[in-house]
Amino acid sequence: MEFRISDSFTSSLAKLTGDEQKAVKTTAFDLQMNPENPGNSFHKLDRAQDKNFWSVRVNRDIRIIVHRSKASLLLCYVDHHDDAYKWAEKRKLETHPKTGAAQLVEIRERVEEIRVPYYVNVESTPPPKPLLFDRFDDDKLLEYGVPPEWLADVKASDEDSILELSDHLPAEAAEALIEIAVGGTPRAPVVISPESNPFEHPDAQRRFRAMVDTEELERALDAPWEKWTVFLHPDQQELVEKDFNGPARVSGSAGTGKTIVALHRAVHLARENAEARVLLTTFSDTLANALKEKLKHLIGNTPRLAERLEIHSMDSIAVRLHKFNVSNKKLLNREQLFELISKHSQGIDGLRYSVAFIFEEWLQVVDAWQINTWDEYKDVQRLGRKTRLAETQRQVLWTIFETVNAELVETNSVSMAGIYLDLTHSLEEKKNSPFDFVVVDEAQDISIPQLRFLAALGGAKPNALFFAGDLGQRIFQQAFSWKSLGVDIRGRSKTLRVNYRTSHQIRMQSDRLLGPSVADVDGYEDDRTSTVSVFNGPEPTIRNFDSHEDEIEFVADWLVKLSGDGYEAHEIGLIVRSDKEIARAASAIEKAGITYKQLDSYIQLAHGYASICTMHLAKGLEFRAVVVMACDDEIIPSQERIEAVADNADLEEVYDTERHLLYVACTRARDRLLVTSGELPSEFLDDLSPVSL
């Protein structure tokens, strides 16, 4: 007998308390081990229209809804007794007549309308809004997975009703219809033969998964809110398994599953290449630690696989490889390098620039490209630097940079960029990479030296380099040309369009911070207007207050209401711009009486604790409800960063990355989002005003 779980089961399991989840898991394991065990308390649902629906008793109040046949047992839903029964009475499992996919279909409730004649002023009656799908015939809508009994409702829907209607449709149908509604073109429908197993259809495989053993079931139930451990969209699955003849990249806005793809891609490469070593890397130690936690859920207890799949931040793996394979140079941090630049900038005739400007010029141009001669600096294209420099001005600056470079050599010291250059040269000489495959998450924040290093690791070998990133979340690095450094992803780039994490309302308003599209230096443009969220939610709340005290009071009340609505502490995140604002967030959550933890670089979320963190640490995280606090003027955009800019021409980059930071924070929210300020509000909050479909 096949044993399967549905995504509706994992979603409903996540909404139960911790103790309730433990009891459900025990019952689920019992069902998997022996579905026919008389000890399993099955109860026939007489009022269910699907006669194969049964309930299974977990305890006095909790019931699992299963679809039971001779060939299979499917876990469909779990909830408290009455709610579980209501869910079952409104659903049926059927094979779609056109696509051949298995679907859990909500039964349409037909209510006869009572029409009462009355007189109206014709001139005041607003014109009806255009119907979105009346141009499609039934056959085309069926191809998109629309259940036959919902065809009439779909054809009668307009921009006001489509989102509500989508909540009642199978996800593949809802996604296709919303994408059409926003002007996109859904992926080509898949149709299988009537003789095929309906659970083998690609749309069904992302909704229902067979559990081959208890270990796989344990992983699926261990973190039910992480549905990605079990279910993948066909577009995601294609990227995971596809063979590429060179470097490849997946992009997409926040919540579209880029990190999911990166994780599965790394695991797939390790599993399909028995002796290969795979590196999964990302921008920071914080994000690397978050990936390690996710990997545990994905691979479970498979030590041999874990041995060949390493997860490190880019800098940490570079330092390790450099130490053991190149030299023991002393690595200088950012503060030490700034002091070095400052020292050698004293008393220079004709110097017109601040130390801050000189330091950024050294970091982003001289150090990034590892320039060692005047001829190199004289002709280098200063990509990303807005301030123009005449040759005479470059000559003055070069007297500083030449001295700095000389001192680094004399003291056997090196910058992080120097580490990458040494490694790049070593790899090019040895032509023997320590890793067969490299998967990079948060690729939009890769620096020039890092990309050169990655190119040396993987080059243009098939499947060797795979990148995942979102241009809209670039918060650390200046934009530059990948193609100029030998990493050409043309023809091997794919944008994900389905947003699983963030409600339509939150996504639409957050996207206003970035505009309809974001482009990179090589001309690749990410159109964000065609992204589709798969569920609705409340409009985000944007509130400005006259004082910190008023802000804290409101946020505390909002959190109390969340708790009353069934939100558990670990489903809540409070995010601020920097460590300086942590205290404001802590005051609000303490006033609400909710236990919490402040996250550090190890990102260890704890059950029963809300999380407080900075916007930088929030990357890669998600919560059912998010509060973005302290969005005051001079906090975001950061006044410190603005004052550190030596030339107004560079202000654009500061404003762009600060906008991206706020975007990152807002898109950590799944269902509920509150954004507040406690003094004069940030100018960015004007862009977060409500917007309709």
Side-chain angles (χ1 to χ4, degrees):
M1 174 182 285
E2 286 188 331
F3 186 84
R4 298 179 180 270
I5 64 173
S6 71
D7 62 342
S8 55
F9 177 79
T10 59
S11 295
S12 58
L13 177 61
K15 296 177 182 178
L16 301 179
T17 67
D19 289 339
E20 289 170 343
Q21 289 183 27
K22 290 179 182 177
V24 172
K25 293 173 186 178
T26 299
T27 303
F29 286 127
D30 291 341
L31 289 170
Q32 185 187 39
M33 294 295 292
N34 187 3
E36 304 299 331
N37 189 335
N40 296 323
S41 185
F42 284 94
H43 178 72
K44 186 73 172 176
L45 300 181
D46 297 329
R47 297 180 62 182
Q49 295 195 32
D50 191 319
K51 300 307 178 184
N52 288 321
F53 271 162
W54 295 71
S55 75
V56 178
R57 188 179 188 275
V58 175
N59 56 29
R60 283 182 61 185
D61 188 37
I62 303 297
R63 298 293 185 270
I64 297 175
I65 303 300
V66 303
H67 188 276
R68 185 184 188 191
S69 68
K70 292 182 179 180
S72 67
L73 186 70
L74 171 67
L75 305 187
C76 299
Y77 193 74
V78 61
D79 209 333
H80 298 269
H81 181 282
D82 292 351
D83 292 329
Y85 277 45
K86 289 177 183 177
W87 185 92
E89 290 166 7
K90 296 179 179 179
R91 304 292 190 291
K92 58 184 177 182
L93 180 69
E94 60 182 21
T95 300
H96 193 278
K98 183 70 175 180
T99 67
Q103 292 182 326
L104 275 171
V105 178
E106 183 176 342
I107 297 169
R108 186 186 183 281
E109 297 180 0
R110 302 183 183 277
V111 180
E112 296 293 328
E113 292 183 351
I114 301 175
R115 300 183 181 274
V116 179
Y118 61 100
Y119 294 98
V120 298
N121 185 343
V122 176
E123 292 182 356
S124 65
T125 303
K129 293 188 176 181
L131 302 180
L132 295 173
F133 310 106
D134 59 335
R135 69 184 187 275
F136 294 98
D137 59 30
D138 289 355
D139 196 57
K140 174 56 76 175
L141 293 175
L142 287 170
E143 285 183 358
Y144 288 129
V146 177
E149 63 189 273
W150 287 93
L151 286 172
D153 299 85
V154 170
K155 286 192 169 184
S157 62
D158 56 24
E159 64 180 30
D160 292 333
S161 61
I162 179 58
L163 285 173
E164 181 180 355
L165 176 62
S166 67
D167 291 337
H168 300 278
L169 298 174
E172 60 268 23
E175 292 165 11
L177 295 178
I178 296 175
E179 188 162 359
I180 293 170
V182 298
T185 302
R187 64 185 179 87
V190 177
V191 177
I192 63 176
S193 68
E195 293 79 23
S196 300
N197 184 342
F199 288 109
E200 297 301 321
H201 189 285
D203 288 335
Q205 287 185 343
R206 55 187 289 222
R207 308 293 172 204
F208 314 98
R209 280 298 171 92
M211 301 288 103
V212 296
D213 52 37
T214 57
E215 183 179 319
E216 186 171 358
L217 179 61
E218 183 178 9
R219 291 202 302 271
L221 301 183
D222 189 41
W225 57 92
E226 300 277 25
K227 291 196 295 185
W228 56 265
T229 60
V230 185
F231 307 97
L232 284 182
H233 186 283
D235 287 347
Q236 296 172 326
Q237 192 71 44
E238 180 186 0
L239 288 166
V240 168
E241 299 176 352
K242 188 173 182 178
D243 284 325
F244 297 97
N245 60 4
R249 180 173 71 184
V250 58
S251 60
S253 60
T256 53
K258 302 176 298 297
T259 297
I260 295 168
V261 170
L263 275 161
H264 278 267
R265 176 75 176 175
V267 172
H268 170 77
L269 290 168
R271 282 177 171 158
E272 295 299 312
N273 301 273
E275 301 301 320
R277 299 196 65 84
V278 180
L279 172 65
L280 176 58
T281 187
T282 187
F283 178 79
S284 66
D285 289 332
T286 300
L287 294 172
N289 291 325
L291 288 174
K292 289 176 183 177
E293 290 300 311
K294 287 180 168 65
L295 186 68
K296 291 177 184 178
H297 297 304
L298 187 56
I299 66 174
N301 187 26
T302 52
R304 181 70 182 99
L305 188 65
E307 288 173 3
R308 296 187 295 105
L309 205 172
E310 298 186 38
I311 300 179
H312 305 280
S313 70
M314 198 83 71
D315 284 355
S316 67
I317 188 63
V319 168
R320 192 180 80 177
L321 291 175
H322 190 271
K323 180 180 180 180
F324 290 104
N325 297 285
V326 182
S327 71
N328 280 318
K329 293 180 181 178
K330 178 185 177 183
L331 176 62
L332 301 186
N333 59 32
R334 187 181 179 94
E335 290 74 22
Q336 291 169 320
L337 291 169
F338 184 87
E339 291 177 4
L340 191 61
I341 293 288
S342 180
K343 181 180 72 173
H344 291 292
S345 301
Q346 305 301 316
I348 301 296
D349 293 335
L351 187 61
R352 296 166 45 186
Y353 302 101
S354 68
V355 175
F357 176 88
I358 299 169
F359 182 56
E360 290 299 317
E361 178 76 3
W362 187 80
L363 280 181
Q364 297 178 30
V365 181
V366 178
D367 192 44
W369 293 98
Q370 288 292 287
I371 293 173
N372 293 302
T373 68
W374 160 244
D375 287 338
E376 292 175 323
Y377 182 60
K378 178 180 65 176
D379 299 325
V380 70
Q381 293 186 354
R382 302 170 58 253
L383 297 175
R385 300 287 283 165
K386 304 293 191 303
T387 305
R388 295 179 178 272
L389 291 178
E391 183 171 323
T392 55
Q393 295 165 331
R394 290 199 189 198
Q395 285 178 325
V396 174
L397 291 175
W398 181 248
T399 61
I400 300 171
F401 302 147
E402 187 176 36
T403 308
V404 170
N405 286 344
E407 181 166 336
L408 289 174
V409 173
E410 183 180 338
T411 59
N412 197 37
S413 302
V414 67
S415 67
M416 200 63 229
I419 293 280
Y420 285 113
L421 180 68
D422 289 347
L423 283 173
T424 300
H425 290 165
S426 176
L427 289 166
E428 290 173 346
E429 291 172 2
K430 295 179 180 178
K431 301 186 184 300
N432 183 23
S433 175
F435 298 100
D436 301 282
F437 306 101
V438 182
V439 178
V440 184
D441 194 29
E442 302 292 349
Q444 73 278 350
D445 282 317
I446 290 174
S447 67
I448 291 169
Q450 288 172 337
L451 190 64
R452 295 172 76 179
F453 164 62
L454 290 170
L457 273 179
K461 295 185 296 183
N463 297 320
L465 291 178
F466 186 89
F467 301 91
D470 174 17
L471 296 174
Q473 296 185 63
R474 183 178 61 83
I475 59 177
F476 292 106
Q477 296 297 331
Q478 295 268 13
F480 62 93
S481 171
W482 284 27
K483 189 168 61 176
S484 67
L485 296 179
V487 180
D488 191 351
I489 58 170
R490 289 176 298 177
R492 295 182 295 275
S493 183
K494 172 81 172 181
T495 300
L496 297 174
R497 303 293 186 192
V498 181
N499 185 309
Y500 302 95
R501 182 176 67 218
T502 306
S503 72
H504 169 80
Q505 289 75 9
I506 294 173
R507 178 184 59 79
M508 289 288 286
Q509 289 184 223
S510 299
D511 276 351
R512 287 168 62 87
L513 289 165
L514 306 179
S517 65
V518 183
D520 65 12
V521 174
D522 291 326
Y524 174 81
E525 185 171 357
D526 184 8
D527 180 10
R528 311 178 81 84
T529 60
S530 59
T531 300
V532 177
S533 293
V534 298
F535 64 96
N536 272 322
E539 295 284 348
T541 301
I542 316 297
R543 291 294 301 271
N544 305 318
F545 299 92
D546 295 330
S547 68
H548 296 176
E549 291 75 19
D550 290 345
E551 178 192 25
I552 290 168
E553 187 74 31
F554 183 89
V555 171
D557 289 344
W558 193 82
L559 292 172
V560 170
K561 291 176 183 176
L562 276 187
S563 298
D565 291 339
Y567 283 72
E568 297 202 42
H570 59 269
E571 297 176 318
I572 300 170
L574 280 76
I575 304 173
V576 292
R577 170 62 180 83
S578 69
D579 288 334
K580 295 178 181 178
E581 295 80 50
I582 290 288
R584 281 164 70 175
S587 296
I589 201 163
E590 288 170 0
K591 195 175 186 67
I594 298 173
T595 55
Y596 72 94
K597 287 189 175 182
Q598 182 180 337
L599 301 184
D600 56 22
S601 60
Y602 290 97
I603 306 294
Q604 291 182 332
L605 304 180
H607 193 89
Y609 293 85
S611 298
I612 298 179
C613 66
T614 64
M615 293 180 180
H616 287 90
L617 285 178
K619 290 194 82 170
L621 302 180
E622 63 178 271
F623 304 92
R624 283 189 66 196
V626 166
V627 183
V628 185
M629 286 188 68
C631 294
D632 305 348
D633 185 44
E634 298 192 358
I635 290 180
I636 185 163
S638 167
Q639 189 65 25
E640 290 182 8
R641 290 192 65 196
I642 292 173
E643 291 175 354
V645 172
D647 194 288
N648 288 336
D650 293 321
L651 275 176
E652 182 181 350
E653 177 67 16
V654 171
Y655 273 81
D656 283 348
T657 51
E658 291 288 305
R659 279 181 171 275
H660 293 182
L661 262 179
L662 183 56
Y663 171 81
V664 167
C666 292
T667 54
R668 301 311 93 189
R670 176 175 173 81
D671 302 319
R672 302 286 297 275
L673 173 64
L674 171 65
V675 183
T676 64
S677 69
E679 291 179 344
L680 184 67
S682 165
E683 60 191 274
F684 295 161
L685 297 194
D686 290 338
D687 295 328
L688 286 172
S689 57
V691 59
S692 59
L693 179 69

